[in-house]
Amino acid sequence: MPIIRLVALNIFFALFLVLISLSLANAEGIHIGPIAFHPGVSLDWHYDDNYLYSETNKKGAYYLNVDPSFGISYDRGGNKFNLDIRSPVRYFSEAKAPDEKTKYQETFYTANASISLPWKSYLKVYDSFTSTELSPFLTEEKPPRPDSLENHARFTFGTALGELLKLEGDYRNDLYKRKDRDKIHYSVDNRKVDNIRGTVIFSFLASDSILADYSYRTDKFTNNPARDLKSWQYDFGLLHRFRKFLNWSGRIGFSKTTGEGGIEKNIFVINETVPGQLPERHQEG
């Protein structure tokens, strides 16, 4: 018995030291040139003496949470890249039935990059992903949450033609997937969203700019194409800077949406903001 306790104690301290090392590495990073790595992991144990929330049928259970993470960052010469990944897992002691999941798991990451290109151009990339598996014991709320997956990706390219004209194009893709659960048809909202946007900014004076923005969006429902949507948006704006501490922006917009059996909807918007934001003008060198 003393030998078993000694072995268990040694294992505990070994894990404790590993966690401290990984925690420090995550905080400070492991640097190799301009690249930094950020590994990390956390563990916690939780006991619930009445996980069923029942006054007459009290049952105890424990949870073990494991949360590993990993990050990479790069920054040099105006080019930047970041990637953060986490995949926490929660194990549940009482999920024993064949049709029950033994764990709750969520995986998500975010990645973004900014790249400087020749001729005053730039490229920005962003992606965010989340995947969730929910065990029955975690879904006592009504209605219960379903297993789900989401991904959001965005690509932006911009350039400047001299000091007067700035162009920017943007593409965004959003994906939503959910599983049916307890006779609730969550999957009816599964869809893919695509959005294309283009912007032109003309700085005709040192403190004044006008802009024109166009976007086109489609919503495609996987399990019910009759709900598909299409929309168009037009925006025109004026931006003015009062000295260096006060900006003003005004916008007028038109949008049109079609879908749901051919229904059309038109929206007219007027907006003004003080302070606003004047796009920074590119400087030589």
Side-chain angles (χ1 to χ4, degrees):
M1 197 67 176
I3 296 178
I4 296 176
R5 289 182 178 178
L6 181 60
V7 171
L9 190 61
N10 288 333
I11 293 175
F12 173 79
F13 278 113
L15 290 174
F16 181 70
L17 291 175
V18 169
L19 289 175
I20 290 179
S21 299
L22 289 175
S23 178
L24 291 174
N26 184 51
E28 299 178 1
I30 302 172
H31 294 267
I32 302 177
I35 303 176
F37 300 90
H38 303 271
V41 65
S42 65
L43 297 173
D44 68 85
W45 183 86
H46 171 77
Y47 178 79
D48 188 338
D49 66 353
N50 187 14
Y51 76 94
L52 295 176
Y53 303 98
S54 173
E55 291 294 334
T56 59
N57 185 26
K58 293 184 178 182
K59 290 185 178 181
Y62 69 83
Y63 312 85
L64 175 63
N65 299 306
V66 184
D67 187 0
S69 62
F70 184 74
I72 302 175
S73 60
Y74 173 88
D75 189 348
R76 171 174 283 186
N79 299 316
K80 298 180 180 180
F81 172 77
N82 290 282
L83 173 66
D84 295 296
I85 304 173
R86 287 185 57 198
S87 185
V89 180
R90 174 178 289 182
Y91 294 91
F92 179 55
S93 64
E94 296 303 309
K96 299 175 181 179
D99 59 341
E100 287 186 347
K101 299 173 185 176
T102 59
K103 63 182 181 181
Y104 154 87
Q105 182 170 2
E106 186 172 42
T107 300
F108 52 92
Y109 74 80
T110 57
N112 60 80
S114 178
I115 304 172
S116 296
L117 301 174
W119 303 297
K120 299 180 182 179
S121 302
Y122 58 87
L123 175 66
K124 296 181 180 180
V125 180
Y126 171 83
D127 190 64
S128 174
F129 172 85
T130 303
S131 175
T132 304
E133 290 186 9
L134 297 168
S135 296
F137 75 94
L138 285 175
T139 53
E140 295 295 331
E141 71 272 12
K142 300 297 181 182
R145 290 177 293 166
D147 292 353
S148 62
L149 181 150
E150 289 188 18
N151 191 78
H152 307 278
R154 185 168 184 170
F155 305 87
T156 303
F157 173 78
T159 189
L161 304 178
E163 295 293 327
L164 301 179
L165 194 63
K166 179 180 178 182
L167 307 175
E168 186 173 89
D170 180 278
Y171 168 71
R172 179 163 184 166
N173 174 272
D174 299 294
L175 182 66
Y176 304 88
K177 288 186 177 182
R178 298 197 296 176
K179 293 183 179 180
D180 296 339
R181 184 188 180 113
D182 296 344
K183 299 182 180 180
I184 301 177
H185 298 288
Y186 292 102
S187 62
V188 72
D189 290 324
N190 290 354
R191 66 192 186 279
K192 184 179 75 167
V193 179
D194 293 288
N195 190 89
I196 300 174
R197 181 184 63 87
T199 304
V200 178
I201 300 176
F202 177 63
S203 301
F204 59 94
L205 293 174
S207 300
D208 296 277
S209 298
I210 56 175
L211 69 86
D213 185 276
Y214 168 78
S215 64
Y216 172 70
R217 168 174 168 164
T218 60
D219 292 62
K220 295 184 178 181
F221 290 83
T222 307
N223 299 319
N224 190 1
R227 296 178 61 195
D228 289 355
L229 299 172
K230 294 182 180 180
S231 61
W232 298 261
Q233 176 78 32
Y234 304 87
D235 290 288
F236 305 92
L238 173 65
L239 305 99
H240 177 75
R241 176 186 290 126
F242 297 93
R243 300 182 182 274
K244 294 183 179 181
F245 55 86
L246 180 62
N247 299 331
W248 176 89
S249 67
R251 179 177 67 91
I252 182 172
F254 306 87
S255 69
K256 179 180 180 180
T257 300
T258 63
E260 292 283 356
I263 296 175
E264 294 190 4
K265 180 174 63 173
N266 295 278
I267 300 175
F268 173 73
V269 177
I270 298 179
N271 176 65
E272 62 176 336
T273 304
V274 177
Q277 183 176 356
L278 190 67
E280 294 183 1
R281 301 180 66 179
H282 292 274
Q283 301 295 329
E284 296 288 348

